[in-house]
Every structure is written in C-alpha cells, then in structure tokens.
Amino acid sequence: MKIGFIGLGNMAGTICQGLIKSDFIDGSEVYGYDINSQQLMMFEQDFGIHVCSSEQDVVKNCDYLVMGVKPNVVESVISKINSVIDQQVIVSIVAGYGNDKYEELLPGTHHLTIMPNTPAKVLEGTTLFEKDNTLTAEELNYVQTMFESIGEVYLIENYQMVAGGALSGCGPAFVYMFIEALADGAVLNGLPRDLAYKLASQTVLGSAKMVKETQLHPGILKDQVCSPGGITIQGVKALEENNFRNAVMEAIDRSKK
C-alpha cells in the first residue's frame, strides 16, 4: 500500500515521521504535497518520501490519503481532487470535518475522520477514530494498524470527538506546561534547569504509567503519596488553593469550543 499526505504541516508531518520511524512503511512508499516547498524538501531528504507537484499527483499515486490541510482550505483542495478520486481511502485530520461533512463533499467515497496528537512522533500517540465512517472492515483494520504503529487507537462515538479531541489533542500542550512549571519550581529552589526538566519529564511519564498499568483511580494513587502531615499533602493544598483542578477542567472545556 502507498500512503499519501495532502499537507505536511505539524500534525500530518508528525504522523508521516512516526509511520516511517516505526517501520510501518518505508519512505519510498510515501508521497506528499505541501504548499511549503522547504517542508517537502526536508521530508524528501530526511525520510526519502516522494515529492509531488500537486494534490492530484498524490491521489493518483496512492491507496490511502491523509488529508492534513487547514480547515479554511479543505473544501478548495477537495474540489481539486474530486475528479481523480477512485477507490482511495481518505483519512482526515481536519478539525470540524467529520463523517457528515465528508458525505456532503465527497459522497460515495471511503472516508474516516480521526483526531491524532503530537506524541505520535515518539510512537506514543493517541488517535481517536470516528465510529461512523464509510471504510470497509478491511480498510478500517489497515488504518487502525497504521496508527497503532505510532501509539494507541480508540474508536469512539462521533459526538464524543469534540471532548475527546480537546483532551488528547490539546492535552499535550497542557502537560508540557505542567512539566515546565514543575521544573521552574525546582529551579527556584536551586536545581539546575537541565536536571529539573529531566526529573519533571520522568516523573510525569512514570506517574502516567502508574495510572495506566495499575488501573487504580488517580485519587487513590495520589493518596498513597500523601503521608499524614507530610510535605506532599502541603503541596496538594497549595494546588487546591490556586484552583489547580478547576483551571485544568476549564482548559479542556474551552478547548472544545
């Protein structure tokens, strides 16, 4: 199978790099087009992909297409490729363009809307698939295998994509801010910054793995660290006094609008 990328910006480029890095596909089986010629040259030089001269050129050469353009241009791009689409599978990462929208724009085609996130670059991505789509079982299995090579895949109800996308799509930015804040607190108290970032990153990574692998409620794991009258519960109190949990909830809520 040949995979084509229409648009190779931050997220689509991350997916492309991850798929090649994971050995799911060789760069020679990947085709790409982007209006940024320097971006294309970088992918050609670093990952060995085929550079295409137009969106139509990508479609003609590929079996699976990743639609990675900005929402404000997706309809103009679709108008360019509509006449050359045959049986290609369209996997869209364009925000706001779900199953119903693609049924209007590309009726009769095989399409699936997904929400990936940037940790796919290090093969720890989270990708949400819309449950309602027009892929065959075989096509859906292939796309699922594709994205499982760069992380985990969750097939969810279409109406859950907004909240799920805010959590997994925007969430990495909030986690990065938390890591930076943890490190800043340590630097404030004399720790070298490079060491502070390493400790903060590993602490978040290890804590996340504890939640995932033990399947215990996060509150239980938090309680296990908080000794009566100890230093950790004092830190928890400081977070509560500054509305930590409400701030995070508000960030997710605003990100879905």
Side-chain angles (χ1 to χ4, degrees), residues 6 55-67 74-92 102 105-112 134 139:
I6 300 177
E55 298 94 336
Q56 296 95 324
D57 192 24
V58 176
V59 175
K60 291 175 182 177
N61 281 285
C62 296
D63 307 292
Y64 287 78
L65 308 170
V66 176
M67 182 71 73
V74 64
E75 294 188 25
S76 65
V77 169
I78 287 174
S79 68
K80 295 177 183 178
I81 66 174
N82 200 1
S83 62
V84 292
I85 290 178
D86 186 14
Q87 294 298 312
Q88 293 92 341
V89 172
I90 300 168
V91 180
S92 175
Y102 275 103
L105 297 170
L106 289 169
T109 60
H110 298 214
H111 54 78
L112 164 70
T134 58
E139 291 167 346

Side-chain angles (χ1 to χ4, degrees), residues 199-214:
L199 295 181
S201 300
Q202 183 59 35
T203 298
V204 170
L205 178 64
S207 301
K209 193 170 184 178
M210 281 283 286
V211 174
K212 186 175 179 180
E213 294 194 1
T214 66

Side-chain angles (χ1 to χ4, degrees), residues 7 18 24 36 38 40 48 59-60 67-68 73-74 120 126 172-173 176 191 193 199 201 203 208 220 232 239 243-244:
F24 176 81
N36 185 335
Q38 290 185 329
L40 280 177
V59 175
K60 291 175 182 177
M67 182 71 73
V73 299
V74 64
T126 301
Y176 301 145
L191 204 65
R193 182 161 293 279
L199 295 181
S201 300
T203 298
I220 294 175
T232 305
L239 290 174
N243 297 313
F244 174 71

Side-chain angles (χ1 to χ4, degrees), residues 46-253:
D46 294 353
F47 301 99
I49 77 166
H50 294 277
V51 169
C52 296
S53 59
S54 67
E55 298 94 336
Q56 296 95 324
D57 192 24
V58 176
V59 175
K60 291 175 182 177
N61 281 285
C62 296
D63 307 292
Y64 287 78
L65 308 170
V66 176
M67 182 71 73
V69 299
K70 300 295 185 184
N72 63 318
V73 299
V74 64
E75 294 188 25
S76 65
V77 169
I78 287 174
S79 68
K80 295 177 183 178
I81 66 174
N82 200 1
S83 62
V84 292
I85 290 178
D86 186 14
Q87 294 298 312
Q88 293 92 341
V89 172
I90 300 168
V91 180
S92 175
I93 66 172
V94 183
Y97 282 78
N99 180 68
D100 292 343
K101 195 70 174 178
Y102 275 103
E103 281 293 270
E104 294 177 12
L105 297 170
L106 289 169
T109 60
H110 298 214
H111 54 78
L112 164 70
T113 294
I114 68 171
M115 173 65 73
N117 68 5
T118 54
K121 184 176 289 187
V122 293
L123 312 185
E124 290 291 350
T126 301
T127 306
L128 309 179
F129 283 19
E130 275 196 350
K131 189 174 182 180
D132 293 338
N133 59 79
T134 58
L135 272 59
T136 65
E138 182 180 358
E139 291 167 346
L140 183 61
N141 181 67
Y142 181 81
V143 178
Q144 183 167 339
T145 303
M146 180 194 309
F147 282 89
E148 284 177 343
S149 75
I150 56 175
E152 295 190 352
V153 172
Y154 297 88
L155 186 68
I156 67 175
E157 300 290 345
N158 290 36
Y159 74 88
Q160 296 174 334
M161 290 289 284
V162 174
L167 175 54
S168 64
C170 304
F174 310 148
V175 174
Y176 301 145
M177 291 176 69
F178 179 54
I179 290 172
E180 183 181 30
L182 285 174
D184 282 347
V187 171
L188 179 65
N189 285 276
L191 204 65
R193 182 161 293 279
D194 59 342
L195 179 58
Y197 279 136
K198 289 176 183 177
L199 295 181
S201 300
Q202 183 59 35
T203 298
V204 170
L205 178 64
S207 301
K209 193 170 184 178
M210 281 283 286
V211 174
K212 186 175 179 180
E213 294 194 1
T214 66
Q215 297 187 17
L216 292 173
H217 190 284
I220 294 175
L221 293 171
K222 178 264 294 178
D223 289 348
Q224 291 176 352
V225 187
C226 295
S227 302
I231 58 175
T232 305
I233 194 65
Q234 293 181 37
V236 169
K237 183 174 182 292
L239 290 174
E240 296 290 9
E241 287 173 346
N242 287 278
N243 297 313
F244 174 71
R245 281 191 269 198
N246 182 69
V248 175
M249 291 171 66
E250 189 69 17
I252 297 295
D253 188 52

